[in-house]
Amino acid sequence: MPLSKFITPDSKSVIFFDLNNTLIDPEATFDAAFLATVGEYTGRWDGSGDVAAQALKAYRAEWRRRGGKGPAGPQERRLACLAMALSGQPLAASAGALKAL
């Protein structure tokens, strides 16, 4: 089966694999994605426009506090930290909403 014209050796010169996080800072990338996503979700809940930054700070603190303890896997740990970070906000975050974030 021949390759499609979209995937040809001429269309790609180099492909980089960042296996040891030397090209992209995963923490900075996570923070930027978290702020953008939670910022869209929270909108202007408190009027200060800083809900996403406060949630990131709370998320990071909860992540450090939990360490390797708590829920069985990393996905459950992320969801628990996110639920804690968004607790006390005007709109309750359901399990489905947290997974969507």
Side-chain angles (χ1 to χ4, degrees):
M1 177 176 188
L3 292 174
S4 71
K5 291 187 184 237
F6 181 73
I7 303 173
T8 64
D10 297 334
S11 66
K12 303 285 187 264
S13 297
V14 176
I15 298 176
F16 291 100
F17 294 95
D18 189 13
L19 301 178
N20 58 359
N21 302 323
T22 57
L23 301 174
I24 298 173
D25 179 1
E27 188 170 329
T29 303
F30 175 85
D31 289 355
F34 186 98
L35 291 172
T37 304
V38 173
E40 284 290 321
Y41 179 74
T42 59
R44 297 181 211 121
W45 279 355
D46 72 350
S48 73
D50 201 23
V51 174
Q54 292 168 359
L56 177 60
K57 185 176 179 181
Y59 179 92
R60 288 278 183 211
E62 183 67 10
W63 184 265
R64 282 189 301 275
R65 188 187 72 75
R66 285 180 179 266
K69 302 173 282 186
Q75 180 67 16
E76 290 82 9
R77 183 178 172 200
R78 281 190 286 274
L79 291 173
C81 291
L82 187 56
M84 185 273 163
L86 294 176
S87 66
Q89 297 299 332
L91 181 62
S94 66
L98 293 174
K99 286 181 182 179
L101 288 175

